[in-house]
Amino acid sequence: MALRPIDNALPITPERPKKQTKVALPIQKQSDVTVNDENKAPFPPTTIDATIDYISSENLKPLPDPEIKIQSLVEGLESKDWLKVCDSLNNARRFALYHSTLLLPILEKVMLVLVKAMKNPRSALCKTSIMASSDIFSAFGDQLLLEPTTSDPFDHLLLQLLLKASQDKRFVCEEADKALKAMVGSMTPLPLLQKLGASVSHSNLRIRAKAAISMSHCASKMGIGAIEEFGLVSLVQLAADLLNDRLPEAREAARSMVASIYEKFTENEEEKLESWQAFCQSNLSAIHAQSIVKVVSSQ
């Protein structure tokens, strides 16, 4: 006897496999691993970073075959590899100290590279470029000011050094201070004082103070003739403004500047203080004259 099918039976369907749950894993970008940010804590030094040597000027040696190596210097300075740029900057220092005539034709390009390297957030590259600027100042001195172009790389270099001398990274700040001292020590005070004049009125307080310190060092090297060529009244007025600056470094630089000017102004005067007081009263406002006279009378 044949069996009858059950009408209400449901058809049997095969069971579908369960979907695997996807888990999102964080991906660490390469740039986050290898690049230090000035605004964050630095990463631990890697093997590559540890190979950077900060060579003092006294320990730099002349280059073998400098006529051949000068041809590849610019290419090395413009490399995308920051390690190669550091090495090329040290070679530029050697050229400056021992083969300056070979470096002179490309000096403007080298200075532009220094400015770019100082802006780099990698501290090793920044410090090496500052050290290179010190050696270039010592080697070329006033030649850096003789033929300014429309871009005037010296102005950009000066501003970067003032910026680096004003920041909180101590080892960069100290190196920039050394470079500014090398600059003042290797250049004629008058044209350098004219260059610094723009920075001493900068809106950044720290830049203004660092510029004032360099101006004070320039004034101490100048005779009364050079001071008068710059503008005796202008220089004293500038010092009077700085005496009221918010930063003590700027005020101290102003007092030092006033003392230098006073010593040279009254060198051949019998009544020194009276002569100085008469000059200040006839050329400055009453309040500025009083503050300037007070600096020298309290010494």
Side-chain angles (χ1 to χ4, degrees):
M1 182 174 71
L3 296 176
R4 294 172 60 192
I6 302 173
D7 295 335
N8 354 346
L10 297 174
I12 300 174
T13 57
E15 184 178 356
R16 294 182 179 179
K18 295 181 179 179
K19 292 183 179 180
Q20 293 182 350
T21 305
K22 294 183 179 180
V23 179
L25 296 176
I27 299 175
Q28 194 170 25
K29 294 181 180 179
Q30 182 69 19
S31 60
D32 295 336
V33 178
T34 58
V35 178
N36 280 337
D37 187 337
E38 275 192 328
N39 299 318
K40 298 178 182 178
F43 297 105
T46 63
T47 304
I48 293 178
D49 289 336
T51 62
I52 296 298
D53 292 324
Y54 301 113
I55 309 170
S56 65
S57 301
E58 296 76 15
N59 293 327
L60 288 169
K61 304 297 181 185
L63 285 160
D65 302 321
E67 292 82 2
I68 296 174
K69 292 192 175 180
I70 193 66
Q71 299 174 14
S72 59
L73 181 63
V74 173
E75 180 183 350
L77 290 171
E78 295 177 347
S79 173
K80 301 292 185 182
D81 182 350
W82 71 273
L83 283 170
K84 189 172 182 180
V85 176
C86 279
D87 186 57
S88 298
L89 284 170
N90 281 325
N91 282 338
R93 297 173 65 198
R94 292 182 174 93
F95 274 110
L97 295 175
Y98 298 106
H99 321 284
S100 58
T101 54
L102 293 174
L103 189 64
L104 186 58
I106 59 170
L107 188 55
E108 184 173 327
K109 290 183 179 179
V110 173
M111 291 173 69
L112 292 174
V113 172
L114 293 180
V115 172
K116 181 179 179 181
M118 286 183 200
K119 294 178 180 179
N120 193 290
R122 194 177 287 276
S123 298
L125 184 55
C126 178
K127 180 172 179 176
T128 304
S129 65
I130 294 173
M131 295 175 76
S133 69
S134 293
D135 292 324
I136 286 175
F137 290 145
S138 299
F140 294 100
D142 289 342
Q143 288 178 283
L144 300 173
L145 304 173
L146 289 180
E147 297 179 0
T149 61
T150 52
S151 60
D152 205 346
F154 179 80
D155 285 347
H156 298 293
L157 181 58
L158 174 59
L159 178 58
Q160 283 304 310
L161 284 173
L162 292 170
L163 278 166
K164 295 306 173 184
S166 305
Q167 68 171 230
D168 295 327
K169 284 187 177 180
R170 184 175 177 181
F171 76 104
V172 172
C173 176
E174 289 177 348
E175 202 63 51
D177 280 334
K178 290 179 185 177
L180 290 170
K181 288 180 181 178
M183 175 188 71
V184 174
S186 62
M187 294 182 177
T188 303
L190 178 57
L192 183 55
L193 196 65
Q194 293 166 338
K195 289 284 187 181
L196 287 162
S199 298
V200 83
S201 58
H202 200 281
S203 58
N204 185 308
L205 294 176
R206 292 187 177 184
I207 290 177
R208 193 160 67 232
K210 292 296 181 179
I213 292 170
S214 292
M215 288 193 78
S216 175
H217 291 158
C218 283
S220 68
K221 294 173 60 180
M222 296 169 70
I224 189 61
I227 291 174
E228 288 177 344
E229 187 177 349
F230 176 84
L232 177 59
V233 175
S234 298
L235 192 57
V236 173
Q237 178 64 61
L238 186 150
D241 290 337
L242 288 170
L243 285 173
N244 296 314
D245 198 271
R246 288 168 56 187
L247 289 185
E249 296 90 342
R251 297 195 297 271
E252 181 58 35
R255 285 191 286 269
S256 177
M257 198 184 310
V258 169
S260 295
I261 299 170
Y262 170 75
E263 181 182 349
K264 285 142 190 172
F265 178 83
T266 60
E267 187 174 5
N268 300 319
E269 298 288 335
E270 293 183 3
E271 301 294 334
K272 293 187 176 184
L273 188 58
E274 290 78 2
S275 175
W276 178 249
Q277 187 172 359
F279 165 78
C280 292
Q281 289 175 345
S282 61
N283 290 284
L284 304 174
S285 66
I287 189 169
H288 278 166
Q290 183 180 3
S291 62
I292 290 291
V293 172
K294 184 178 178 181
V295 170
V296 297
S297 61
S298 61
Q299 290 181 342

